[in-house]
Amino acid sequence: MNGDLSWRSFACARRAVRTREICCEELVSHFLERIGEKNKHLNAFTFVRAGRALEEARAVDRDLRRGRDMPLAGLVLAVKDVICIKDLEVTCASNVLQGFRSVYDATCVARLRRAGAVIIGTTNCDEFAMGSTNENSCFGPVLNPHDQEYVPGGSSGGSAAAVAAGLCHAALGTDTGGSIRQPAAFCGVVGLKPTYGRVSRSGLVAFASSLDCVGTFACTINGAASVLESMAGLDPLDATSAPVGVPRYAKELARSVEGLKIGLPAECFADGLDGDIRRMLESLIEEFRSTGAEIQPISLAHMEYGIATYYILATAEASSNLARFDGIRYGKRARGNGSDVKRISTRSRTEGFGAEAKRRIMLGTYVLSSGYYDAYYAKAQRVRSLIRRDLDAAFEDVDVVLTPVTPSPGIRVGSLLDDPLKMYLSDLYTVPANLAGLPGLVVPVGTHPSGLPVGAQFLARPFDESRLLSVGQRAMELAQQAGGFA
Ligand code: GLN
């Protein structure tokens, strides 16, 4: 097989598989080799399904020989370890699930497999997807392939690092408050969080059910569009999945930006944003303007309450969702407890959950407790509506909203371990999309003076992923033409 890069994008691999220049089995072997080389440093995978992936690739090759083409034939995919894959351990990077195997495929996994994707392994993440650095994992931290002194972001850090290091074509992630978009920015890859309800959550281990979304990482927009196309759509197994038709995203990428209205929220470019990131985004905005887009200032007046609102609602939902891990039904059971159910459960949870998961269970239980419910939870629900209304109003005037993804270009390994609040605050640009249920896309647009990649975030109206992807495609082209904004 010739050099690494030629097979790195799904589009190239797909073409080569169709013309029989290469078979899926060879593609999988290629990625397995790269994983063998790189993963020991990066720690991006929790499990590599070498044998099964090769077997499944051979099955796809047989189908292709019999003339059965599939839209994702040739796609080598990794899956964040919070999404169920039949017969495989789903760990959520937590000791509490030790030994638990899924008995079914999540809907997204089943659909992608049916479309011809081969799953090469499961990826490391923060425990139950709680975190922004991938350091809250029972498997240890993942490192950023661009600079191993830095984290890849979180919580879907393993998925972002795997795509960035060329260990798979695409990887599934989940985004509750930014967990696809922030690591995509830190690792310099495309990260797509679809509209809430666009992709079924059936088979996703719940963190905060009203915010959780399954989405994807890829190194190209086309890759992300192809994955979304095959996994999106109504699912009878998830009552919150939306009965909205799924466009052929990958075919709609070439839309012109002439007349496109881009909204810039003043609140996102205020103090606290790294100066170089601001400069790079301003260059991108100028390029958009010169190619015919209209730039419009907008205001998201309640954005400053986003973090508080998110961390109240997300922890409340988490405390309820995580109650099922009681040492009886799933995974780890503490030893030596006799038959006292309460003690078994207390010990299993004490031993099984890591510090951040415990912190969130306690915070969430507190904001839901009688006496505090109205002051915190109910109030946060009302503020959530205000944040959604701000965005709805903005989208009456503009087609997309452009913002930074993170206030700083990167987080050094270990630097936020003792300061969870500081970690929470860094989510300020990503949580509004989750609170409002909107789709968000991050694309790499250049390299920061520190050497780390910088991403731009676009938000769009509900179910307008198609627009988002075509604008993202344009942004990447503009960045490329400029030789990467710097
Ligand atoms: N960083 C956020 C948190 O820790 C987002 C996590 C996520 O999107 N899963 O809650």
Side-chain angles (χ1 to χ4, degrees), residues 329-373:
R329 282 175 287 187
Y330 304 93
K332 182 183 169 73
R333 179 172 309 174
R335 285 168 189 275
N337 284 293
S339 56
D340 178 338
V341 173
K342 191 166 175 217
R343 279 188 56 205
I344 294 177
S345 160
T346 307
R347 286 271 302 272
S348 302
R349 288 168 71 79
T350 304
E351 289 172 22
F353 286 123
E356 184 61 28
K358 284 178 182 157
R359 182 157 34 240
R360 303 226 183 176
I361 291 170
M362 287 190 285
L363 272 170
T365 309
Y366 177 78
V367 300
L368 286 175
S369 57
S370 69
Y372 294 104
Y373 182 94

Side-chain angles (χ1 to χ4, degrees), residues 80 126 128-133 136 154-156 174-182 207 212 310-311 314 356 360 423-424 426-427 430-431 434:
K80 183 178 182 181
D126 284 297
F128 289 102
M130 296 169 179
S132 307
T133 63
N136 308 320
S155 64
S156 317
T174 60
D175 192 312
T176 305
S179 278
I180 291 178
R181 289 160 290 151
Q182 182 254 30
F207 160 13
D212 293 342
Y310 169 80
Y311 276 94
E356 184 61 28
R360 303 226 183 176
M423 189 189 77
Y424 299 169
S426 69
D427 295 334
T430 51
V431 294
N434 302 82

Side-chain angles (χ1 to χ4, degrees), residues 50-118:
R52 296 293 297 274
L54 286 167
E55 234 172 74
E56 289 169 14
R58 284 193 286 272
V60 175
D61 287 331
R62 267 197 305 276
D63 280 345
L64 287 169
R65 278 198 302 275
R66 289 185 193 131
R68 183 170 168 242
D69 194 11
M70 289 164 284
L72 297 185
L75 181 81
V76 179
L77 181 77
V79 175
K80 183 178 182 181
D81 200 345
V82 291
I83 298 174
C84 291
I85 301 175
K86 190 169 188 290
D87 296 332
L88 208 65
E89 274 191 44
V90 48
T91 71
C92 299
S94 177
N95 282 321
V96 95
L97 271 169
Q98 219 171 60
F100 173 73
R101 274 173 202 277
S102 173
V103 292
Y104 62 87
D105 273 344
T107 298
C108 54
V109 165
R111 288 182 179 177
L112 293 171
R113 281 183 152 165
R114 229 175 290 138
V118 171

Side-chain angles (χ1 to χ4, degrees), residues 198 232-234 242-249 463 465:
R198 182 52 112 178
L234 182 65
V244 178
V246 179
R248 306 286 303 273
Y249 298 112
F463 301 101
E465 285 86 359

Side-chain angles (χ1 to χ4, degrees), residues 161-329:
V163 170
L167 310 185
C168 52
H169 288 128
L172 296 187
T174 60
D175 192 312
T176 305
S179 278
I180 291 178
R181 289 160 290 151
Q182 182 254 30
F186 282 176
C187 290
V189 297
V190 171
L192 172 65
K193 171 224 174 286
T195 311
Y196 181 80
R198 182 52 112 178
V199 177
S200 168
R201 289 182 295 112
S202 175
L204 160 66
V205 180
F207 160 13
S209 310
S210 78
L211 301 157
D212 293 342
C213 288
V214 175
T216 187
F217 296 90
C219 52
T220 61
I221 293 282
N222 178 74
S226 306
V227 171
L228 180 64
E229 204 170 297
S230 291
M231 70 175 170
L234 182 65
D235 175 16
L237 297 176
D238 173 4
T240 62
S241 74
V244 178
V246 179
R248 306 286 303 273
Y249 298 112
K251 289 219 154 55
E252 296 180 4
L253 297 181
R255 271 207 243 172
S256 150
V257 295
E258 184 90 45
L260 174 82
K261 288 192 184 158
I262 304 180
L264 299 182
E267 295 79 2
C268 293
F269 292 87
D271 284 352
L273 175 63
D274 174 88
D276 292 302
I277 296 182
R278 181 200 311 270
R279 220 171 15 78
M280 292 165 69
L281 292 181
E282 279 166 3
S283 306
L284 173 66
I285 292 161
E286 268 325 297
E287 289 301 321
F288 264 114
R289 201 196 301 275
S290 67
T291 50
E294 243 176 75
I295 310 295
Q296 217 166 289
I298 59 166
S299 168
L300 302 177
H302 299 90
M303 196 177 133
E304 61 176 306
Y305 308 113
I307 295 286
T309 306
Y310 169 80
Y311 276 94
I312 289 171
L313 297 178
T315 55
E317 294 186 29
S319 72
S320 157
N321 275 326
L322 268 51
R324 75 191 61 160
F325 303 109
D326 54 5
I328 311 286
R329 282 175 287 187

